[in-house]
Amino acid sequence: MTHSKLGLIKKLIALKTISSLIIVIILVVLVGCNNALIEDISIEKTKDISTFQQYMLDEINFARTKPAEYAELRLKAENETSKDNGSYSYLKNSTQVEAISFNQALNQSASDYASFLAEKNLLEHNADGTPLKRAIRAGFTGTSTAENIAAASENCYNPVLNSNSAAIEFVRTLIIDEGVADVGHRLIILNAKYKTVGIGFTQNSATPTLNYVVQDFGNL
């Protein structure tokens, strides 16, 4: 990260659900900046797309469709300080994949689960059913999902303060995947198998991680 931070602890969770629900779990919690909170908010549970959701979709598609350009713009500084976990070279040598679009059922599932995690102060995939089961419950008709979960307390990850900056930082952190041996979050985001995504976000001022994001990818 190029932001100055008082401290950084990362807890990111990656889960791949590919038919047989192959699970890869990694935890990352980002802590450090001023914990100022405007108010608790949640992604709309309607067909409306929030500004943050759109920014995050755009950022995901930037990495998918223009990986070399993404590496230059988002990862070069980290690469120069050896903090990119190999992501710069990986994306520079990656073949572009198709852009993904929103799936309303996945948006609903991700939004509901982000609210659930924030309310319970949890960072788990199966606390309210598996990602695939939650997606199907929300109306998803595909057969495969993959899920990334992230939580952060820093202002640069706070969509209430700056939706675009928060989307950039969350996606970049997931792609760098620091400390994650199989870089599962990165692989999910760049996987050509997934055609749609749902993005959920909520805040809970009573928890140290504050900002909760869920990305649910689907094959349909």
Side-chain angles (χ1 to χ4, degrees):
M1 299 293 126
T2 57
H3 300 274
S4 60
K5 302 178 177 70
L6 297 177
L8 182 61
I9 305 172
K10 299 183 176 179
K11 270 187 185 179
L12 295 172
I13 305 175
L15 167 68
K16 302 174 186 176
T17 308
I18 305 175
S19 300
S20 60
L21 299 177
I22 299 173
I23 300 176
V24 177
I25 300 178
I26 305 129
L27 295 171
V28 176
V29 175
L30 307 156
V31 189
C33 295
N34 190 333
N35 286 349
L37 174 65
I38 305 302
E39 63 180 4
D40 290 355
I41 66 171
S42 178
I43 293 292
E44 300 88 335
K45 296 179 180 180
T46 68
K47 292 185 178 181
D48 296 332
I49 301 301
S50 75
T51 301
F52 176 62
Q53 283 175 306
Q54 188 61 57
Y55 277 135
M56 182 164 280
L57 176 65
D58 292 344
E59 197 67 12
I60 290 169
N61 281 333
F62 181 21
R64 287 172 65 93
T65 63
K66 299 179 179 180
E69 290 183 35
Y70 181 92
E72 283 296 317
L73 186 61
R74 303 292 193 229
L75 303 171
K76 188 173 183 178
E78 284 76 8
N79 178 62
E80 290 174 348
T81 56
S82 300
K83 295 179 180 179
D84 68 315
N85 192 31
S87 59
Y88 176 83
S89 296
Y90 187 93
L91 268 78
K92 287 288 284 186
N93 293 288
S94 292
T95 302
Q96 68 180 52
V97 297
E98 290 184 358
I100 56 176
S101 59
F102 282 121
N103 177 287
Q104 179 56 28
L106 293 178
N107 269 337
Q108 186 70 62
S109 178
S111 297
D112 288 345
Y113 199 55
S115 296
F116 177 88
L117 293 175
E119 180 184 355
K120 303 295 185 181
N121 189 22
L122 295 172
L123 283 174
E124 301 176 16
H125 281 294
N126 300 319
D128 190 33
T130 66
L132 182 57
K133 288 182 178 179
R134 284 187 272 109
I136 292 172
R137 193 165 64 209
F140 181 64
T141 58
T143 59
S144 177
T145 61
E147 184 172 85
N148 287 337
I149 295 174
S153 65
E154 296 177 305
N155 282 344
C156 52
Y157 293 88
N158 189 337
V160 176
L161 302 180
N162 190 319
S163 294
N164 190 31
S165 172
I168 290 171
E169 293 301 331
F170 270 118
V171 174
R172 172 164 41 203
T173 300
L174 287 162
I175 286 177
I176 290 176
D177 239 0
E178 182 179 350
V180 180
D182 69 350
V183 294
H185 308 92
R186 183 192 307 170
L187 297 180
I188 287 173
I189 289 173
L190 300 175
N191 194 331
K193 173 180 180 177
Y194 300 114
K195 309 300 181 183
T196 59
V197 70
I199 295 167
F201 166 74
T202 197
Q203 291 184 325
N204 185 352
S205 59
T207 66
T209 45
L210 186 60
N211 305 292
Y212 293 77
V213 166
V214 176
Q215 299 174 341
D216 283 336
F217 295 79
N219 68 331
L220 185 65

